[in-house]
Amino acid sequence: MKDYLLALDQGTTSSRAILFTRRGEVAASAQIPFTQHYPKPGWVEHDPMEILTSQLRAAADCVEKSGLHPGDIAALGLANQRETAVVWERATGKPVGNAIVWQCRRTADFCSQLQREGYTEAIRAKTGLVVDAYFSGTKYRWMLKNIPGVEEKARRGELLCGTVDSWLLWNLTGGKVHASDYSNCCRTMLFDIHKLQWDEDLCRLMEVPMDWLPQPVENSGPLGVIAQGVPYLDKLAGLPICGAAGDQQAALFGQGCFAPGQLKNTYGTGCFTLLNTGKAVESQNGLLTCVGWGLKGEITYVLEGSVFNAGSSIQWLRDELGIIQSAPEIDVLAESVPDNGGVYLVSAFTGLGAPHWDMYARGAILGLTRGTTKAHLCRATLEGIAYQTADLISAMEKDAGQKITGLRVDGGASVSDFMMQYQADLLGVPVERPEVVETTAWGAACLAGLGVGLWNSPEELLKDRKPGKLYLPKTDRSREYAKWRKALERSKDWEDA
């Protein structure tokens, strides 16, 4: 019986594949990291071919580890890093250059120009987004204007573009399907979230040819099949692809947040807080209005806040500063001191996301003394992630007009018991981490399972949901939060310093 689901979770720093049972149990997994490219300060790139190869290899390794027959797998679901932009040749599938990653700030000046020219409200009304270099539309424009030969090829109709979901789907289907699900389309600054279609005026404004763009589709249902001849996946040829979502919407779905008022925060490379609002709610407090998912003609909307650097600040301590040798070591050091020693970190390495939206802010560390140790810096880093999350949730409470009663968490950094307890203290509400923290991949698997008929409705998925670890608030952290806010203002003043 086909009771297994294969999820591909293509992230910012690695490509993963996980095989789930229909009860959400992990049967096997594989993960392959890939290279981060930083050609200039504030610029971040990936090699699209390395993304593709790492993801295909991870899928093959996962199935091999499981010992399952490919015929036991019912369907495949995709989750992906959002906003990262890829342009490739229609005929050959060859990328025109590196992908521009969601963190990249290279189009900040063009975004400032759009703001000065008065397009902010028009863009928000159609897309639910603020004008920021975060989103894909200005990245496509940059490639058109700055990569030799791209403009000429575009005029001849020889190119396609898409976010990573489109790139993977096109390659998995042997170039037969050029599509993107609603949750990814809505992160481009080119998509009308109310009409569920590409907007001609916005495409003209960004100078993005509309024939580049993928077909917008729902998040669950037949999206194609794995083609013959896809590298590493010969044994999976013919497997139906039946679910796709941007990583954060997939995580919200995987957490079972199907009712308005439920929210989750993912502690990954960045921090991403999503609140299910059911209907579209226009934010008055610096948040984004996005499509959560589309199922059988019904659209669920969310409010979202994004922190650009969360887990990446832990990587910074490890890879750039050498303060820790492995990520788990940060908890040990953070808990070895009774407090942060007056040290506060704002990890605005690539600007500030919601609710501040300052493309020019930079990281700041305040309160250093001769007595500051690496343990204090580790603690300040984890606390800083919790503070930025609190900023997002405060904005959500204002937009929703009510206080939150709890927070569901996931992502690699959520395994930090110290940070989860600190988050509960800071918010004053329980924080719940599920038993299996792979909620992004599980969300993609669930969408695929719905698409192939393993379940008839999202509510059926809740029957097998197991409670996770609960962190109850113990200490009032309001004074520390106020001090961190002062450090935040310093990071926003950097450009004028």
Side-chain angles (χ1 to χ4, degrees):
M1 187 175 179
K2 294 187 176 184
D3 270 350
Y4 292 87
L5 294 160
L6 178 60
L8 306 187
D9 181 7
Q10 202 299 300
T12 307
T13 59
S14 69
S15 297
R16 296 189 297 168
I18 302 179
L19 265 169
F20 291 98
T21 69
R22 64 185 298 162
R23 295 175 63 86
E25 299 154 334
V26 174
S29 65
Q31 181 171 358
I32 298 176
F34 57 88
T35 310
Q36 309 294 303
H37 300 275
Y38 306 103
K40 293 183 181 181
W43 289 31
V44 191
E45 295 180 355
H46 293 156
D47 178 349
M49 295 307 300
E50 190 179 6
I51 287 176
L52 176 63
T53 301
S54 62
Q55 187 62 81
L56 298 179
R57 284 180 53 207
D61 290 352
C62 177
V63 174
E64 185 71 23
K65 284 182 183 178
S66 73
L68 293 171
H69 188 274
D72 296 328
I73 304 171
L76 180 146
L78 295 173
N80 62 284
Q81 56 167 313
R82 304 170 303 169
E83 301 93 22
T84 295
V86 187
V87 176
W88 65 95
E89 294 178 353
R90 188 189 300 264
T92 67
K94 181 181 177 182
V96 301
N98 276 350
I100 302 179
V101 179
W102 58 272
Q103 297 165 310
C104 188
R105 301 281 91 193
R106 75 183 65 187
T107 63
D109 288 344
F110 178 66
C111 290
S112 295
Q113 177 184 325
L114 293 176
Q115 292 167 345
R116 289 193 302 271
E117 293 174 356
Y119 289 106
T120 300
E121 290 309 313
I123 289 172
R124 179 190 290 275
K126 290 180 177 181
T127 69
L129 307 178
V130 300
V131 178
D132 193 85
Y134 183 15
F135 306 110
S136 314
T138 61
K139 303 180 195 300
Y140 298 138
R141 179 186 181 275
W142 189 93
M143 286 190 261
L144 182 77
K145 297 291 186 183
N146 293 278
I147 299 178
V150 167
E151 206 156 13
E152 292 80 1
K153 289 178 180 179
R155 280 198 293 267
R156 296 195 296 265
E158 297 175 359
L159 300 177
L160 298 174
C161 74
T163 42
V164 171
D165 62 313
S166 297
W167 171 241
L168 292 177
L169 188 58
W170 193 86
N171 281 282
L172 285 167
T173 61
K176 291 184 174 63
V177 178
H178 185 222
S180 182
D181 68 86
Y182 293 154
S183 69
N184 276 292
C185 290
C186 75
R187 307 293 294 189
T188 60
M189 221 159 70
L190 301 171
F191 188 71
D192 189 317
I193 62 172
H194 309 289
K195 296 180 180 178
L196 301 177
Q197 64 187 31
W198 301 114
D199 185 85
E200 189 172 349
D201 292 335
L202 293 178
C203 288
R204 189 181 303 113
L205 180 64
M206 312 281 175
E207 302 179 67
V208 175
M210 292 193 74
D211 62 0
W212 278 21
L213 294 164
Q215 174 67 36
V217 295
E218 288 196 349
N219 296 83
S220 184
L223 298 173
V225 300
I226 296 181
Q228 293 281 352
V230 175
Y232 305 100
L233 300 187
D234 287 341
K235 295 179 181 179
L236 295 178
L239 181 67
I241 305 166
C242 292
D247 51 10
Q248 303 313 318
Q249 287 95 328
L252 188 71
F253 201 86
Q255 285 273 27
C257 295
F258 304 139
Q262 294 181 313
L263 78 161
K264 69 88 193 176
N265 187 52
T266 295
Y267 299 80
T269 301
C271 261
F272 303 90
T273 309
L274 273 70
L275 171 69
N276 184 331
T277 58
K279 298 182 292 186
V281 173
E282 184 176 347
S283 175
Q284 304 300 317
N285 294 281
L287 301 174
L288 309 176
T289 305
C290 302
V291 177
W293 47 78
L295 300 175
K296 298 180 179 178
E298 296 291 326
I299 305 300
T300 295
Y301 290 90
V302 300
L303 281 173
E304 176 172 342
S306 307
V307 171
F308 294 154
N309 291 277
S312 58
S313 59
I314 299 172
Q315 292 174 324
W316 171 70
L317 291 180
R318 182 192 66 196
D319 300 340
E320 275 71 47
L321 298 190
I323 287 177
I324 55 176
Q325 299 304 309
S326 64
E329 191 181 337
I330 192 172
D331 258 30
V332 176
L333 284 167
E335 291 177 318
S336 71
V337 288
D339 53 45
N340 62 15
V343 178
Y344 294 87
L345 169 69
V346 181
S347 57
F349 303 129
T350 53
L352 285 169
H356 311 284
W357 297 110
D358 189 331
M359 295 181 284
Y360 301 102
R362 288 296 177 262
I365 305 174
L366 271 76
L368 295 173
T369 68
R370 185 62 184 81
T372 298
T373 68
K374 63 181 181 180
H376 292 122
L377 191 54
C378 286
R379 183 166 178 138
T381 299
L382 294 177
E383 290 178 359
I385 296 170
Y387 291 136
Q388 290 188 83
T389 300
D391 264 4
L392 296 180
I393 291 176
S394 175
M396 284 185 173
E397 289 177 330
K398 293 173 185 175
D399 277 337
Q402 63 184 54
K403 291 286 186 181
I404 67 162
T405 57
L407 175 67
R408 295 178 182 178
V409 299
D410 53 58
S414 72
V415 299
S416 168
D417 289 326
F418 170 82
M419 185 164 62
M420 294 304 96
Q421 183 59 56
Y422 201 90
Q423 191 75 80
D425 293 344
L426 194 57
L427 297 175
V429 301
V431 169
E432 181 190 354
R433 184 179 66 210
E435 186 177 354
V436 177
V437 297
E438 302 290 357
T439 54
T440 296
W442 174 235
C446 290
L447 289 166
L450 286 166
V452 81
L454 286 186
W455 303 285
N456 294 315
S457 70
E459 288 67 33
E460 285 187 35
L461 295 162
L462 297 178
K463 295 177 183 177
D464 294 324
R465 188 178 188 275
K466 300 174 183 177
K469 183 170 183 178
L470 202 62
Y471 299 85
L472 300 175
K474 297 177 180 178
T475 306
D476 181 5
R477 300 289 186 183
S478 55
R479 290 184 64 186
E480 294 100 318
Y481 188 24
K483 290 181 179 179
W484 178 83
R485 293 283 306 182
K486 291 182 180 179
L488 176 75
E489 293 307 315
R490 296 284 186 93
S491 75
K492 291 164 71 174
D493 289 342
W494 174 250
E495 193 70 11
D496 298 325

